[in-house]
Amino acid sequence: MLSKIMTALRGKANETGQAIVDTQALRILDQEIRDAEQNLKASKTELARLMGQRQVNSNKADTLEAKITELEQSAEAALDKGEEQLAIEVAERMVALQNELDAERGIVSEYDTSIESLRGAIRSTENQLRQLKQQVSVVKATESAQKAQSAVAARHSGQSSAMNSAVESLERIRERQQLNAAQMQAAEQLAADESGSSLDARLKAAGIGANERKAEDVLARLKAKKNSAQS
């Protein structure tokens, strides 16, 4: 039982830790990028140090090579003068310097290998960081959009009842306006009935009763009157 309790506690702790990581994911990612940038900066500093040290050893090798060339000329001059023993001493010195030169050239070669390897790692890291930053920008934009959508959804769910109430209020206003219009139309009809204008309008529409006086009718009446007087 105790073992199960401990397992449950570890599981809970893991869930809590994972929840913290999830909620702080972008902040953690930003810090990891800053750490990578610091490491990249340190690598560039180390590259500069290696290049400087390589130059020191290269200059030393150049100096040794120049010295060996000078001693070779001295040995040839000693031989020309018959100073063979002196020439041997010069040759021994040349051998010692040649050994030093070979060692320095070996060191320079090792520096060249290390420098090239570190340069490659720096280029690769810079490319990865650039791509990572671009992807982080996309992730942050998506995160902001999703938060905005979530906020809108939350407000919508919280205001749905208010929206429904507003729609109902709008319908009630429309119904009241329609009722008012019907009432005003009925009042106008009642007023027309009381004044008789409604009956006159219906008779006129049916062609019954007084017709509208027209200029043509008046002219026809005058002509008829004139003709009657002449006859």
Side-chain angles (χ1 to χ4, degrees):
M1 181 63 70
L2 181 60
S3 176
K4 290 183 179 181
I5 293 174
M6 294 301 295
T7 301
L9 290 175
R10 288 200 303 272
K12 180 63 176 177
N14 182 69
E15 290 176 359
T16 302
Q18 187 61 49
I20 294 174
V21 170
D22 290 340
T23 56
Q24 301 295 322
L26 287 176
R27 183 174 298 174
I28 293 172
L29 183 57
D30 286 339
Q31 183 57 49
E32 288 172 342
I33 290 176
R34 285 193 291 269
D35 291 342
E37 288 175 333
Q38 288 298 322
N39 292 335
L40 179 62
K41 184 178 180 180
S43 295
K44 289 182 177 180
T45 300
E46 178 63 14
L47 175 62
R49 187 191 70 80
L50 289 176
M51 292 176 67
Q53 190 59 51
R54 186 260 182 207
Q55 190 61 45
V56 169
N57 288 90
S58 179
N59 292 340
K60 188 175 181 180
D62 292 341
T63 300
L64 288 171
E65 190 171 6
K67 183 64 176 177
I68 290 171
T69 299
E70 181 183 347
L71 288 174
E72 184 176 349
Q73 293 173 354
S74 298
E76 290 174 352
L79 288 174
D80 290 340
K81 290 184 178 182
E83 299 288 341
E84 187 171 344
Q85 183 59 39
L86 181 59
I88 291 174
E89 292 179 4
V90 172
E92 290 175 347
R93 178 59 179 164
M94 288 174 60
V95 169
L97 292 179
Q98 186 63 50
N99 291 334
E100 291 184 27
L101 176 59
D102 291 342
E104 291 298 332
R105 284 177 175 170
I107 293 173
V108 171
S109 178
E110 290 177 359
Y111 275 127
D112 287 339
T113 300
S114 298
I115 288 170
E116 186 59 31
S117 176
L118 187 54
R119 276 178 172 169
I122 288 174
R123 286 194 296 268
S124 177
T125 301
E126 286 176 336
N127 290 334
Q128 290 177 351
L129 268 176
R130 183 171 57 255
Q131 294 174 2
L132 182 58
K133 287 180 178 180
Q134 292 173 348
Q135 293 171 1
V136 168
S137 297
V138 174
V139 168
K140 286 183 176 180
T142 302
E143 183 77 6
S144 298
Q146 290 180 347
K147 285 182 178 179
Q149 291 174 349
S150 177
V152 169
R155 286 196 298 270
H156 177 73
S157 62
Q159 295 177 353
S160 59
S161 59
M163 183 65 69
N164 292 335
S165 178
V167 172
E168 291 175 358
S169 298
L170 178 60
E171 289 300 324
R172 287 195 298 271
I173 292 172
R174 286 176 176 171
E175 290 176 359
R176 188 178 69 249
Q177 289 176 343
Q178 291 173 357
L179 178 59
N180 290 339
Q183 289 175 346
M184 286 187 290
Q185 185 176 3
E188 291 175 357
Q189 183 64 41
L190 289 174
D193 290 342
E194 291 176 358
S195 64
S197 60
S198 175
L199 178 58
D200 293 339
R202 292 199 301 273
L203 289 173
K204 183 178 180 180
I208 302 172
N211 293 326
E212 184 178 356
R213 182 173 295 171
K214 298 182 179 178
E216 291 81 358
D217 295 338
V218 173
L219 182 59
R221 183 176 58 80
L222 292 175
K223 286 181 178 180
K225 182 179 179 180
K226 182 178 181 182
N227 291 334
S228 177
Q230 290 176 353
S231 58

